[in-house]
Amino acid sequence: MSKISLSSNDLPIEHVAETSADINIAIDIMGGDRGPHVFLYAVENILQKHPKVNLTLCGDDKSKKLFASCLANNRVKYEVCEQIVNMSDKPTMAIRSKKQSSMRKALELTKCKEVDACVSSGNTGALMATAYYVLKTLPGITRPALATLLPTQNNSRVLLLDLGASISYDAESLYQYALMGSILMQECQLVEQPRVALLNVGEEEIKGHSLVKHADLLIRSSDTINYIGYVEGDDIFAGKSDVVVTDGFTGNVALKASEGIASFLSNEIKTVCTQSFFSRVLSKLAMPLFKSLYQRMNPDQYNGASLLGLRSIVVKSHGNASPEACYFAVEQAIMEVKQSVPTKIKAKIEQELMEH
C-alpha cells in the first residue's frame, strides 16, 4: 500500500516579516457559545497590529451594530447572512439546509479567493464537514486533520493531531497527519526538524494494534519526517516531541482530558489559597510565581485549531473562547497565510509521491 494516494495560539508573529500584499480573513462571528461580541476585541486589535490585514465579518443583520465602530474602518466589511449554524445542528443538516449561514459564507469566500483564510468558533462537526465539502482536500490527502498547539515542560510547544476531524482512520491517514504536522511546525513555529511521534499505549515496538504498527512503518520509511517513534499519553506535555500524531477519537479524548485536568488544578489552587488567613498571606507572596505560570499556561494563547489538508486555510476557534482567545485564533490564520501552509503541504506531498 502506498503512503499517499492521489484523490492554531500565540504564534511567533515577530519572526515573520510583514508581506507586501494585503491579507484578507473572513470571520464567522455567529457560531460561538458567547455570542458574536467576543470577536470585537479580536477585530479591534488585529486592525491595530496588522495594517495590511483586511477582515470580512459574516453574521446576521442584528449583530452588525455591535461592530459599528470597526466598520468605520475601510479595512472591515460585513456580510449579512440569513442563517446560523447552531451547536446542535448535525453536519449533514449544516451542508444541506444552512447554505445561507455565516459559516458557509465564510468558507465560500475562501473558496472563491476573495479571502485567504477563514476563522469560525461554530459547531466543530459542521465546520469540518462543510469545509471538506466546500473547499475539498489537497491532492494526495484523504482526510483533513484538526491540529492544535499545547504547552510542554521545557517551555516549547507540541502540535497534537488529529483532534476529531475524522473518527475513522487508517495507517495512511496517520502518515499524512505526521507529514502535515511536521510542515506546520517547521513553517509556523520555526522548528527546523520537528520531532514527530506516534501516540501509543507503550513505547515498545510490540505495543499497539495493527493500524498503529502499520502507520509506524509508513512514517519510519519517509525521508521527509524526523520520526522518533512511539510516545505514551503522559509524554504529550513532556517536550519529547514537537508533533504527536493520533486518530481523531483518541486525540479528542486526550485534549478534553488535559483541559479538564488544567481546570481542576486551577480551581484547587484557588481553593487552597483562600482556605485560611495564613494561606492567603502565602498566596500573595507567591503571586509573581502564579502570574508567570499562568502566562505560560494561559489557554487563550493556544486557542485556534488548524484544519490541515484542505485547499485553503481554516482555523477553528473554541466555542467558548474568550475575546482574547478569539484574537489568537485570527493571529494563527494570519500566520498560516503568510507562510502559505496549504501550498507547502501540497509541495511536500508531490515530493513524497515522486520519491515513492
Side-chain angles (χ1 to χ4, degrees):
M1 176 177 165
S2 62
K3 289 190 292 185
I4 301 180
S5 57
L6 282 174
S7 44
S8 191
N9 48 50
D10 185 19
L11 299 174
I13 301 293
E14 66 275 11
H15 294 298
V16 182
E18 291 286 342
T19 57
S20 58
D22 284 1
I23 291 175
N24 300 292
I25 307 292
I27 304 177
D28 165 25
I29 64 172
M30 301 304 300
D33 298 326
R34 299 189 179 189
H37 69 277
V38 294
F39 275 104
L40 182 59
Y41 174 90
V43 173
E44 291 174 341
N45 283 272
I46 291 297
L47 290 174
Q48 182 178 2
K49 184 174 181 180
H50 299 281
K52 288 188 175 295
V53 172
N54 306 311
L55 301 173
T56 300
L57 310 181
C58 301
D60 62 11
D61 188 50
K62 182 180 178 181
S63 300
K64 186 175 181 179
K65 62 182 179 181
L66 296 172
F67 298 86
S69 60
C70 299
L71 291 170
N73 190 317
N74 59 12
R75 291 162 52 207
V76 182
K77 298 178 182 179
Y78 196 97
E79 290 282 348
V80 176
C81 304
E82 299 176 3
Q83 296 175 304
I84 300 171
V85 175
N86 300 311
M87 287 297 183
S88 58
D89 288 344
K90 294 182 179 180
T92 52
M93 178 185 178
I95 294 174
R96 296 172 183 173
S97 305
K98 298 288 182 80
K99 295 180 181 180
Q100 305 301 319
S101 68
S102 55
M103 178 185 291
R104 182 67 170 262
K105 184 62 178 180
L107 291 168
E108 292 285 0
L109 290 172
T110 310
K111 177 185 177 182
C112 298
K113 306 300 181 184
E114 292 187 36
V115 299
D116 303 298
C118 74
V119 177
S120 175
S121 58
N123 181 321
T124 303
L127 178 64
M128 292 185 295
T130 308
Y132 181 83
Y133 176 79
V134 172
L135 300 176
K136 313 303 181 187
T137 54
L138 291 165
I141 296 295
T142 54
R143 295 184 178 93
L146 199 60
T148 194
L149 289 165
L150 298 171
T152 66
Q153 293 176 13
N154 58 2
N155 292 320
S156 62
R157 296 183 176 188
V158 62
L159 186 74
L160 179 64
L161 73 165
D162 177 32
L163 303 176
S166 179
I167 301 301
S168 61
Y169 72 102
D170 53 27
E172 186 173 336
S173 297
L174 295 179
Y175 162 74
Q176 293 174 9
Y177 298 165
L179 180 61
M180 293 190 294
S182 178
I183 294 169
L184 187 65
M185 287 301 286
Q186 188 172 7
E187 299 299 334
C188 289
Q189 289 295 304
L190 307 183
V191 181
E192 288 189 11
Q193 289 187 311
R195 298 162 297 167
V196 179
L198 194 58
L199 189 63
N200 199 0
V201 294
E203 296 183 4
E204 301 84 357
E205 292 185 5
I206 61 171
K207 294 290 183 70
H209 51 66
S210 58
L211 283 179
V212 170
K213 292 179 179 178
H214 188 186
D216 173 73
L217 292 175
L218 292 178
I219 301 171
R220 195 176 296 278
S221 65
S222 172
D223 295 328
T224 303
I225 302 170
N226 180 22
Y227 182 56
I228 63 172
Y230 296 138
V231 292
E232 298 182 64
D234 58 350
D235 293 323
I236 295 175
F237 301 95
K240 292 183 177 180
S241 58
D242 302 300
V243 179
V244 174
V245 176
T246 187
D247 64 275
F249 182 90
T250 305
N252 189 272
V253 171
L255 178 65
K256 295 298 175 60
S258 65
E259 290 176 347
I261 292 171
S263 178
F264 168 74
L265 290 176
S266 176
N267 291 332
E268 285 297 298
I269 291 173
K270 290 178 182 178
T271 300
V272 170
C273 288
T274 57
Q275 279 182 338
S276 66
F277 173 77
F278 183 66
S279 62
R280 287 194 292 271
V281 171
L282 287 179
S283 66
K284 287 184 178 180
L285 292 174
M287 190 57 65
L289 295 176
F290 288 148
K291 286 184 177 180
S292 177
L293 177 62
Y294 179 76
Q295 286 174 358
R296 189 165 70 88
M297 302 294 292
N298 182 6
D300 286 349
Q301 63 184 305
Y302 301 101
N303 181 50
S306 302
L307 198 49
L308 301 177
L310 297 171
R311 295 175 186 263
S312 300
I313 296 167
V314 178
V315 173
K316 171 67 174 71
S317 176
H318 198 290
N320 197 34
S322 68
E324 292 78 9
C326 291
Y327 164 78
F328 284 111
V330 181
E331 281 276 24
Q332 182 167 330
I334 293 170
M335 170 61 76
E336 292 188 27
V337 173
K338 288 180 177 180
Q339 296 294 354
S340 303
V341 170
T343 301
K344 290 177 179 177
I345 290 176
K346 180 176 180 291
K348 288 287 186 182
I349 291 170
E350 289 174 346
Q351 179 184 340
E352 289 282 296
L353 286 170
M354 291 178 63
E355 293 177 355
H356 298 84

